[in-house]
């Protein structure tokens, strides 16, 4: 007998439907899986056979052929265990149901028949909804994640026998429901706050501008000045995630397997801080079967690169395209995959190899130049704000009065972002940092005084055309924070100030 079971697999960050066809025939007892299965899928023969027996069913005798269609796309992972087992039981007539065309299913089987969690359930649920299916059978710990897709009946399954009983209609399992608004309301508060930071008011101002416009920033200063401490608090002043942003971010984390059991959504902006020994593939994404890297895991959040010059130059240079386009394309012989990567780059570094400022360093000029030369000019041009972080004075460290809390700074940032959303209504632009040439001409016009100031700075600092665009974008953000429609000379002056380290140290 032939049975068909609906399932799905993930390719990139999107899912595609897979039809599991199972035919129970005669001959020697053997299970054959075709349809470009990888090793994990091939091993499902042993997991499924044992799970079927331990669940109280009979293992089908004779030749069982399993086809995973479409046959020209590679299938990966253990998520086909549950649909294969259900298909084998249906093909061997051990239960009857008319629901196989209405429900898709995914899940890894333990040898006991228990259903274990799998990766990528959210994009699979989205695909099931697009196919017009009634519902989706998923492992219990993945149910909340899938249930954020409205209009899809998500059935939590704990073991194989429970799945069969539900499909037969002999056991009722209530679909899982989630309230996305409640999830956002119950999000755990941040465990860090800008109120903890003593002094460094100029740096806080720069980070506020970066958050308000979605700009990349580089913190440069001696060790112990609080660069990492400040960077870790940047997500606390960013605008809250919207539902669409949360869904995009959750899809990526689901594919990589970073969601906690029972977690439905990523409700806080990601903060990723890879070590400087990270490989190109670790940052960019890749592998034999390409998976998202750190820049995609930081989508809609912050990517923090501490000790920037210590990263491999090749790894840093791979980020140039994602910083400009907000996505990364990975090409392999098997095909091309594109992952989203709209992140804020926050980097930190020492000014010299021994950590001291150039005038105080004992390093030779050649050593300093070699150290700073690890960061290319084109990459620096893509960092909007270069911020000097000075040593904190004792008077500021010993002050009893706490600094301004993150919630107050976030209020100003959100107000500035709202002005940007109104300005860019109907365009695929989320913030000032994402403006293109057309938007720069339309929204960043300067009066004569501001234009002369920028012209003078460009000539004296020998800045590139890309740096010119960055200055205009930062000036537009400063004007938004000030609540003014026009960009004033003061706004341009402050924006130019954040490019001064570009030439002061890299000269």
């Amino acid at each position: 007998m032939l049975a068909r079971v609906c399932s799905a697999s993930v390719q990139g960050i999107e899912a595609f439907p897979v039809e599991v066809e199972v035919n129970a025939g005669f001959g020697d007892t053997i299970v054959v899986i075709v349809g470009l299965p990888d090793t994990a899928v091939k091993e499902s023969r042993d997991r499924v056979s044992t799970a079927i027996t331990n669940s109280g069913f009979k293992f089908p005798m004779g030749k069982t052929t399993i086809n995973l269609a479409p046959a020209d796309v590679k299938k990966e992972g253990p998520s086909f265990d549950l649909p294969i087992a259900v298909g084998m039981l249906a093909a061997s007539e051990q239960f009857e149901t008319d629901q196989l065309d209405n429900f898709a299913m995914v899940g890894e089987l333990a040898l006991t028949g228990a259903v274990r969690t799998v990766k990528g359930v959210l994009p699979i649920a989205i695909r099931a909804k697009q196919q017009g299916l009634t519902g989706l059978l998923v492992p219990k710990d993945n149910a909340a994640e899938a249930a954020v897709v409205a209009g899809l009946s998500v059935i939590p399954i704990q073991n194989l026998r429970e799945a069969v009983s539900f499909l037969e209609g002999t056991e009722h399992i209530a679909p899982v429901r989630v309230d996305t608004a409640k999830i956002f309301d119950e999000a755990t508060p941040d465990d860090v706050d800008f109120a903890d930071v003593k002094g460094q008011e100029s740096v806080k101002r720069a980070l506020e501008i970066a958050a308000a416009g979605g700009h990349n920033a580089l913190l440069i200063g001696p060790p112990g000045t609080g660069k990492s401490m400040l960077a870790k608090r940047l997500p606390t002043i960013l605008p809250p995630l919207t539902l669409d942003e949360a869904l995009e971010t959750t899809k990526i984390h689901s594919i990589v397997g970073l969601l906690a059991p029972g977690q439905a959504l990523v409700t806080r902006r990601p903060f990723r801080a890879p070590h400087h020994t990270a490989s190109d593939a670790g940052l960019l994404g890749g592998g034999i079967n390409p998976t998202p890297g750190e820049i995609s895991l930081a989508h809609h959040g912050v990517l923090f690169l501490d000790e920037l010059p210590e990263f491999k130059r090749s790894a840093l240079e791979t980020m140039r395209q994602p910083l400009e386009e907000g996505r990364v394309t990975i090409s392999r012989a098997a095909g091309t995959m594109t992952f989203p990567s709209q992140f804020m780059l926050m980097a930190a570094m020492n000014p010299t190899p021994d950590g001291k400022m150039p005038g105080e360093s004992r390093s030779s000029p050649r050593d300093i130049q070699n150290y700073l030369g690890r960061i290319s000019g084109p990459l620096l041009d893509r960092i909007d704000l270069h911020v000097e972080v000075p040593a904190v004075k004792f008077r500021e460290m010993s002050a009893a009065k706490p600094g301004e809390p993150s919630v107050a700074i976030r209020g100003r940032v959100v107000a500035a972002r709202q002005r940007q959303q109104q300005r860019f209504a109907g365009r695929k632009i989320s913030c000032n940092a994402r403006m293109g040439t057309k938007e720069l001409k339309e929204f960043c016009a300067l009066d004569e005084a501001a234009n002369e100031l920028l012209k003078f700075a460009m000539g004296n600092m020998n800045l590139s055309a890309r740096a010119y665009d960055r200055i205009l974008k930062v000036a537009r953000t400063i004007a938004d924070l000030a609540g003014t429609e026009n960009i004033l000379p003061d706004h341009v002056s402050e924006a130019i100030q954040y490019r001064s380290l570009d030439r002061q140290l890299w000269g």
Side-chain angles (χ1 to χ4, degrees), residues 408-428:
I409 303 174
R410 174 183 271 189
R412 297 193 295 269
V413 168
V414 169
R417 287 286 185 108
Q418 289 173 344
R419 295 186 184 97
Q420 294 166 44
Q421 290 171 3
Q422 294 172 2
R423 181 183 304 126
F424 303 135
R427 306 172 191 243
K428 294 182 179 180

Side-chain angles (χ1 to χ4, degrees), residues 248-275:
E248 286 183 11
T249 305
T250 304
K251 281 172 66 175
I252 299 171
H253 286 239
S254 171
I255 292 164
V256 181
L258 293 180
L259 294 183
Q263 182 179 2
L265 277 175
V266 175
T267 55
R268 297 168 66 177
R269 293 192 179 271
F271 181 84
R272 304 293 300 180
H275 193 261

Side-chain angles (χ1 to χ4, degrees), residues 41-164:
V41 179
K42 291 177 181 178
E43 290 176 348
S44 67
R45 287 176 297 196
D46 300 317
R47 290 193 299 272
V48 168
S49 61
T50 307
I52 286 176
T53 303
N54 289 336
S55 297
F57 299 103
K58 295 180 180 179
F59 186 77
M61 305 302 291
K63 182 178 180 180
T64 302
T65 304
I66 300 166
N67 179 43
L68 306 178
D72 60 343
V73 181
K74 190 169 185 177
K75 318 303 185 305
E76 304 167 358
S79 62
F80 295 107
D81 288 4
L82 179 60
I84 287 175
V86 170
M88 291 176 69
L89 294 176
S92 58
E93 301 181 345
Q94 297 191 50
F95 79 101
E96 294 184 2
T97 181
D98 58 357
Q99 296 296 315
L100 292 182
D101 292 333
N102 299 327
F103 287 85
M105 60 188 75
V106 291
E108 177 186 347
L109 287 179
L111 299 184
T112 61
V115 181
R116 291 174 170 163
T117 58
V118 293
K119 301 177 183 178
V121 166
L122 178 55
I124 289 172
I126 294 172
R127 175 59 65 183
K129 173 68 182 302
Q130 293 171 345
Q131 287 180 259
L133 295 176
T134 302
L136 177 67
L137 274 65
V138 298
K140 184 178 180 181
D141 286 341
N142 289 126
E145 172 189 348
V148 300
V149 180
L152 186 70
S153 181
V154 177
I155 308 300
I157 298 298
Q158 299 187 70
N159 54 64
L160 176 58
R161 178 161 286 281
E162 190 175 72
V164 170

Side-chain angles (χ1 to χ4, degrees), residues 209-404:
I209 294 170
H215 301 290
N216 305 317
L218 170 64
L219 304 181
I220 181 166
T225 54
K227 300 187 295 295
S228 299
M229 183 181 186
L230 287 158
K232 290 176 181 177
R233 282 154 177 77
L234 180 59
T236 67
I237 63 173
L238 289 173
L241 282 171
T242 64
L243 179 58
D244 287 342
E245 289 175 336
L247 285 171
E248 286 183 11
T249 305
T250 304
K251 281 172 66 175
I252 299 171
H253 286 239
S254 171
I255 292 164
V256 181
L258 293 180
L259 294 183
Q263 182 179 2
L265 277 175
V266 175
T267 55
R268 297 168 66 177
R269 293 192 179 271
F271 181 84
R272 304 293 300 180
H275 193 261
H276 61 76
T277 57
S279 65
D280 298 13
L283 278 177
L284 198 68
I288 298 175
N289 303 313
T291 55
E294 291 290 343
I295 64 173
S296 295
L297 291 172
H299 185 54
H300 292 313
V302 177
L303 177 68
F304 178 48
L305 302 183
D306 201 5
E307 304 295 345
L308 185 65
E310 301 298 334
F311 282 82
K312 292 192 300 182
R313 180 157 183 162
S314 61
L316 295 178
E317 294 304 303
T318 59
M319 295 197 302
R320 284 160 56 177
Q321 179 212 9
L323 284 171
E324 286 288 329
E325 301 180 2
R327 63 181 184 273
V328 56
T329 301
I330 301 173
S331 298
R332 295 290 183 269
T336 299
M337 292 187 185
T338 299
F339 299 115
S341 58
Q342 286 192 15
F343 61 93
M344 283 180 60
L345 174 62
M346 177 61 57
M349 62 176 290
N350 298 326
T352 60
D354 61 4
K356 299 182 182 300
M357 295 303 290
E360 305 169 354
S361 175
R362 295 182 179 179
S363 301
S364 68
R366 178 184 290 273
D367 290 340
I368 294 176
Q369 190 60 40
N370 290 339
Y371 176 73
L372 300 176
R374 297 176 188 174
I375 307 171
S376 68
L379 180 61
L380 272 179
D381 278 346
R382 288 169 169 81
I383 300 178
D384 305 3
L385 295 90
H386 308 158
V387 186
E388 184 176 357
V389 185
V392 183
K393 298 178 181 179
F394 174 78
R395 175 167 45 95
E396 295 173 335
M397 292 178 60
S398 60
K401 183 180 178 180
E404 186 178 24

Side-chain angles (χ1 to χ4, degrees), residues 142-189:
N142 289 126
E145 172 189 348
V148 300
V149 180
L152 186 70
S153 181
V154 177
I155 308 300
I157 298 298
Q158 299 187 70
N159 54 64
L160 176 58
R161 178 161 286 281
E162 190 175 72
V164 170
S165 299
F166 172 79
L167 293 169
E168 278 184 317
T170 59
E171 181 177 349
H172 173 73
I173 302 177
V176 172
R177 303 271 189 260
V178 298
D179 184 344
T180 54
K182 187 177 180 181
I183 293 174
F184 279 99
D185 291 339
E186 294 178 348
T188 56

